[in-house]
Amino acid sequence: MNTITDPRAVAARVYELFDTGNVGGLDEVLSPGLVDHNPVPGAASGIEGLRLLVAAVRDGFTGTRHELVFQGEAGDGWVVSHWRMTATHTGDWFGTPATGRDVSFTGTDLMRIVDGKVTEIRHVEELLQLHLQLTS
């Protein structure tokens, strides 16, 4: 059961789950009816799509760390977070085999949090930054 109710803390917990690879922990902070406006290609919009993404990060990288560069509330339960992820690429990442390279890239998420659960998310990751680090 989720005991976190502060919207910023709920959003921060999502990043902790990415960093630990704790797919099961997503039930603590994601609404079963979650709407993901930017799901992984081929994944459904919802909690299962986010499970897939957390597992992909866990399986593709070690030492994953999300640093919150900025976080603020935008009203009506919306939290905006700009983050930087650092890690080492040690496993397959959507078809790119492990390179052993250290990576650092940024992203911005908008999460709507109602009663301690993320009900809606819009996210943009700087995947070109990541791609260039993995392939150059």
Side-chain angles (χ1 to χ4, degrees):
M1 171 175 260
N2 182 23
T3 58
I4 305 170
T5 57
D6 175 65
R8 289 184 192 197
V10 172
R13 178 71 177 135
V14 171
Y15 302 115
E16 290 174 11
L17 295 169
F18 269 93
D19 291 347
T20 62
N22 183 355
V23 174
L26 290 171
D27 292 329
E28 299 172 17
V29 291
L30 301 181
S31 168
L34 172 75
V35 175
D36 182 351
H37 293 279
N38 312 96
V40 172
S45 168
I47 195 167
E48 291 307 318
L50 239 41
R51 284 185 213 279
L52 183 127
L53 188 55
V54 168
V57 170
R58 178 199 62 212
D59 296 345
F61 300 93
T62 55
T64 305
R65 182 174 177 272
H66 281 79
E67 171 196 358
L68 285 172
V69 177
F70 172 83
Q71 190 177 60
E73 292 186 53
D76 198 26
W78 287 97
V79 173
V80 60
S81 303
H82 183 68
W83 49 263
R84 172 172 303 285
M85 185 185 115
T86 55
T88 304
H89 181 222
T90 55
D92 183 76
W93 172 252
F94 292 102
T96 302
T99 63
R101 296 178 182 174
D102 291 334
V103 298
S104 175
F105 70 103
T106 58
T108 302
D109 298 328
L110 297 169
M111 296 183 209
R112 184 160 190 250
I113 295 146
V114 176
D115 297 328
K117 300 270 189 174
V118 180
T119 61
E120 196 171 348
I121 185 169
R122 296 175 187 274
H123 49 100
V124 178
E125 298 84 15
E126 295 288 345
L127 295 178
L128 181 57
Q129 289 175 348
L130 177 59
H131 177 75
L132 291 173
Q133 292 172 60
L134 297 180
T135 61
S136 297

